């Protein structure tokens, strides 16, 4: 985000009021005897305890870290390879000192300890000012207890490094201790149920301590690609600092308090005044004339905005770099034709303004940025991407111009945020992001016998909005032939014809028209699955428990209709029962209904997802619900040949 330079002056150290809870090299019998984590028995290793103690000395943060891990299974030996990243920058913004590490094994009933020496630690340069300390514990085996500790010194105290309580293996105990001196004040951002509910206040002002226990490991789950957004963590942003009295050549300059980013408008002004950022917001006359080289004459604002959007997405190539602050000015982007997300979206803003269409930059926290919700305070570090809010014909559109395959008014799924920080000249602040769409699958199928006694299915399967974007991307990336093959394997039957129609106007839509041979009327009994295409063929939720919420990315509504002409000489012998069910809180609704009329049978099914994120606490109900839905959609209708008298 933004690097704020603070000339913090105070040299008074801060007294440590509480020491570390572990003693290096001292192990309890419980730690030595532990062979399995009761709440996660399949774990191959476990963090027995970790402690982060933070204090300030002379305006510099000192962090003492102590971490202890035990290997429980052979597959857990990889935890003996350790990497510790830190930001060195150009002048040692962060540095790591005072490293100690050892491994302990029980050999013939006795503790065998190996201490690591300086030659065992390696420093590796990474990109953009980052460095890494790497080392490997020797003689790692089942039962090994490994621990290390170090001191990290950080000169940049505007944003304190966030502390994650969870790890890739289960954690029995994680402690974060922070003492803030009276001359500094911080805004606090907590995330995760356990972190928020923890009693972190101590008896001393400015001293905080979180102790979290029995935390599950971090691992991927279906429909949760970005679990980092829901991890237990705590972080801080500087809110202000005390200023000392001093004597200058004109007399006494009284001390006081300096507030840092005390309001949303102040944060907005700070960002907008960055020279590269301001070049897009207020281009000079020369650049303005270059922008005017593309003019649109469409009557409606929406049509003009779409034309400009198309022009920008085709003219400027995304270099793959995300972020919310440009690193090159508008002139440079116009010359090079290649830029970051912030630069391309801000260039779109400049083009829109030149054509008299209102647009405003908006900062968001994209999925995978580590935040499930935004804090309602000017906490600058919570944002990582820049999009636009465009006003046209009295409507609001949220736009990202980095992908020419995404139409105007749609956002990449990674940028589906519930709110964002809009940067205005006045009244800047958080605003809800309401994406207007009607995503879903609409399927219409007719099944009837031809003159050869073959049961033919003809379906139009329509994918709308974000469903269409996903299918269109899959079609493009895999090629039409492979896409058809995969699609038809899902629909079943024998392929006869397949046509794809893809359009962006008036909304994103992809139609798949499928014709297939299901079976013949030669059999005495015919089993028909009514719906040729289903969103899921199997329940995606198989685990017994769930650690993170289920994120479907967007709400949707699926509607399936199939009409079957009962072949001559057959009757409807058996069919599924009607059903209507929903999950707690009406997050998901499903209905199934069969109607018989004039030698036909019509089957209708509806699946409505009304909330895109479902809490982990409701996972058992969701899993059971999905079992019913998928089973219901697979139930066949049975046609039986009429007995001859």
């Amino acid at each position: 985000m933004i690097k704020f330079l603070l000339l913090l002056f105070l040299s008074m150290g801060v007294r440590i009021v509480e020491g570390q809870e572990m003693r290096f090299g001292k192990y309890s019998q419980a730690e030595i005897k532990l062979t399995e984590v009761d709440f996660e028995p399949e774990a191959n290793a476990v963090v027995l305890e970790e402690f982060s103690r933070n204090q300030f000395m002379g305006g510099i943060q000192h962090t003492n870290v102590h971490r202890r891990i035990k290997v429980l299974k052979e597959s857990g030996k990889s935890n003996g390879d350790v990497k510790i990243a830190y930001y060195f920058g150009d002048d040692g913004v962060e540095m790591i000192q005072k490293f100690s590490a050892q491994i302990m094994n029980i050999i013939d009933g006795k503790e065998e300890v190996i201490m690591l020496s300086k030659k065992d630690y390696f420093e590796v340069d990474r990109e953009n000012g980052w460095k890494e300390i790497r080392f490997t514990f020797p003689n790692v085996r089942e039962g090994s207890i490994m621990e290390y500790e170090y001191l990290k010194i950080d000169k940049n105290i505007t944003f304190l490094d966030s502390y994650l309580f969870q790890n890739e293996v289960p954690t029995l105990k994680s402690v974060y201790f922070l003492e803030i001196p009276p001359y500094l004040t911080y805004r606090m951002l907590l995330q995760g149920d356990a972190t928020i509910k923890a009693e972190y206040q101590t008896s001393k002002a400015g001293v905080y301590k979180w102790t979290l226990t029995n935390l599950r490991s971090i691992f991927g789950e279906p429909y949760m690609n970005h679990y980092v957004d829901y991890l237990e963590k705590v972080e801080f942003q500087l809110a202000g600092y005390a200023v000392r009295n001093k004597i200058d050549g004109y007399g006494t300059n009284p001390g006081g308090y300096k507030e840092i980013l005390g309001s949303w408008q102040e944060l907005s002004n700070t960002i907008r005044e960055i020279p590269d950022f301001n070049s897009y917001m207020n281009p000079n006359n020369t650049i303005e004339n270059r922008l005017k080289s593309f003019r649109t004459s469409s009557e409606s604002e929406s049509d003009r905005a779409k034309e400009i959007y198309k022009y920008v997405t085709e003219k400027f190539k995304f270099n793959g770099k995300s972020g919310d602050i440009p690193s090159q000015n508008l002139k440079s982007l116009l010359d090079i034709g290649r830029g970051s997300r912030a630069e391309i979206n801000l260039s779109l803003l400049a083009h829109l303004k030149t054509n008299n269409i209102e647009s405003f930059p908006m900062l968001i926290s994209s999925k995978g940025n580590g935040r499930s919700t935004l804090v309602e305070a000017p906490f600058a570090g919570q944002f990582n991407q820049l999009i636009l809010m465009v006003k046209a014909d009295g409507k609001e559109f949220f736009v990202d111009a980095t992908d020419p395959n995404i139409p105007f008014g749609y956002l990449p799924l990674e940028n589906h945020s519930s709110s964002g920080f809009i940067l205005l000249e006045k009244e800047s602040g958080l605003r809800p992001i309401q994406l207007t769409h009607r995503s879903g699958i609409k399927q219409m199928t007719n099944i009837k016998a031809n003159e050869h006694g073959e049961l033919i299915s003809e379906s139009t399967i329509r994918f709308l909005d974000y469903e269409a974007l996903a299918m269109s991307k899959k079609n493009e990336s895999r090629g039409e032939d492979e896409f058809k093959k995969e699609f038809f394997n899902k629909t079943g039957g024998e392929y006869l014809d397949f046509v794809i129609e893809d359009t962006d106007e008036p909304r994103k839509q992809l139609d798949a028209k499928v014709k297939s041979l299901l079976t013949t009327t030669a059999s005495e009994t015919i089993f028909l699955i009514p719906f040729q295409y289903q969103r899921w063929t199997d329940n995606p939720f198989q685990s017994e428990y769930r650690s993170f919420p289920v994120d479907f990315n967007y709400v949707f509504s699926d509607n399936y209709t199939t009409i079957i002409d009962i072949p001559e000489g057959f009757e409807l012998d058996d069919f599924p029962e009607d059903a209507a069910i929903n999950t707690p809180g009406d997050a998901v609704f499903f209905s199934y209904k069969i109607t018989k009329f004039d030698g036909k049978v019509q089957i209708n099914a509806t699946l409505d997802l009304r909330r895109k994120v479902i809490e982990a606490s409701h996972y058992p109900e969701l899993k059971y619900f999905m079992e019913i839905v998928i089973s219901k959609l697979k139930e066949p209708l049975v046609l039986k040949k009429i007995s001859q008298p």
Side-chain angles (χ1 to χ4, degrees), residues 121-133:
Y121 306 117
F122 302 92
E123 186 177 74
V124 178
D125 286 322
R126 291 170 53 185
E127 295 181 351
N128 302 319
W130 285 89
K131 292 190 176 186
E132 207 168 63
I133 299 291

Side-chain angles (χ1 to χ4, degrees), residues 448-449 455 521 526 528 564-571 599 639 642:
K448 59 183 176 182
L455 279 179
T521 57
I526 299 173
L528 289 178
I564 302 173
D565 285 29
I566 299 175
E568 186 176 352
F570 281 80
E571 64 181 357
L639 305 181
I642 300 172

Side-chain angles (χ1 to χ4, degrees), residues 281-503:
M281 302 296 294
N282 299 291
N284 59 39
N285 292 335
T286 302
I287 299 300
E288 185 90 23
N289 289 332
R290 292 181 65 177
L291 295 174
K292 290 178 180 178
S293 63
F294 176 78
R295 304 289 290 183
T296 173
S297 58
S298 298
E299 292 186 5
S300 76
E301 289 182 330
S302 297
D303 288 342
R304 295 208 308 275
K306 290 177 182 178
E307 284 187 42
I308 297 167
Y309 175 86
K310 186 174 186 297
Y311 170 78
V312 170
T313 57
E314 292 176 351
K315 181 176 177 61
F316 301 105
K317 304 302 179 185
F318 180 41
N319 62 15
K321 294 182 179 180
S322 297
D324 50 5
I325 303 297
S327 58
Q328 64 175 329
N329 60 30
L330 178 53
K331 179 182 181 302
S332 176
L333 179 69
L334 293 175
D335 292 341
I336 297 172
R338 185 178 180 86
S340 68
R341 170 168 280 114
E343 292 155 3
I344 290 176
N345 286 333
L346 286 172
S347 74
L348 173 61
L349 177 145
H351 282 88
L352 289 167
K353 288 177 67 176
T354 301
N355 285 269
N356 300 316
I357 297 174
E358 284 189 288
S359 60
F360 309 95
M362 176 173 272
L363 307 190
I364 63 169
S365 177
S366 66
K367 293 186 177 182
N369 188 42
R371 292 168 177 83
S372 54
T373 58
L374 295 178
V375 60
E376 294 186 8
F379 199 99
Q382 62 189 317
F383 306 109
N384 73 322
Q385 304 289 0
L386 183 147
I387 62 172
L388 297 186
M389 185 184 82
V390 179
K391 289 187 176 181
D393 297 327
K395 299 179 181 178
E396 292 182 352
F397 301 90
F398 298 91
V399 178
D400 183 305
T402 57
D403 188 345
N405 296 313
I406 296 181
F408 177 85
Y410 293 83
L411 286 177
L413 294 182
E414 300 299 301
N415 291 345
H416 278 216
S417 303
S418 59
S419 61
F421 171 38
I422 189 166
L423 279 64
L424 305 172
E425 292 184 3
K426 296 180 179 180
E427 298 182 355
S428 299
L430 291 185
R431 296 283 181 86
I433 296 177
Q434 296 177 337
L435 299 175
T436 303
H437 66 93
R438 292 177 291 166
S439 299
I441 303 170
K442 314 299 180 187
Q443 180 177 172
M444 180 66 190
T445 301
N446 286 284
I447 300 174
K448 59 183 176 182
N450 62 14
E451 65 274 17
H452 305 295
E454 299 169 325
L455 279 179
I456 304 297
S457 168
E458 294 190 44
S459 298
T460 295
I461 305 165
R462 176 163 295 167
F463 301 89
L464 294 172
D465 290 340
Y466 286 101
E467 297 292 346
L469 279 175
M471 296 302 287
S472 182
K473 184 176 181 179
K474 185 180 291 187
N475 182 26
E476 180 183 358
S477 63
R478 300 190 181 182
E480 190 168 306
D481 289 341
E482 284 298 315
F483 176 70
K484 287 179 179 179
K485 183 178 179 181
E486 178 187 333
F487 190 97
F488 198 72
N489 285 341
K490 195 169 184 178
T491 59
E494 181 182 340
Y495 167 74
L496 296 178
D497 194 18
F498 195 122
V499 176
I500 297 173
E501 297 176 356
D502 196 347
T503 181

Side-chain angles (χ1 to χ4, degrees), residues 80-107:
D81 298 323
V82 180
K83 298 179 181 179
I84 301 171
Y86 65 100
Y87 183 73
F88 186 83
D90 295 327
D91 57 353
V93 176
E94 295 180 353
M95 292 184 290
I96 291 183
Q97 303 174 351
K98 299 181 180 180
F99 230 107
S100 298
Q102 74 171 38
I103 180 171
M104 188 276 287
N105 289 303
I106 301 296
I107 307 295

Side-chain angles (χ1 to χ4, degrees), residues 30-50:
E31 290 175 321
I32 293 173
K33 293 179 180 180
L34 181 70
T35 59
E36 184 180 274
V37 179
D38 56 1
F39 59 87
E40 200 170 322
E42 68 276 13
N44 60 22
V46 60
V47 174
L48 297 170
E49 189 170 345
E50 57 186 357

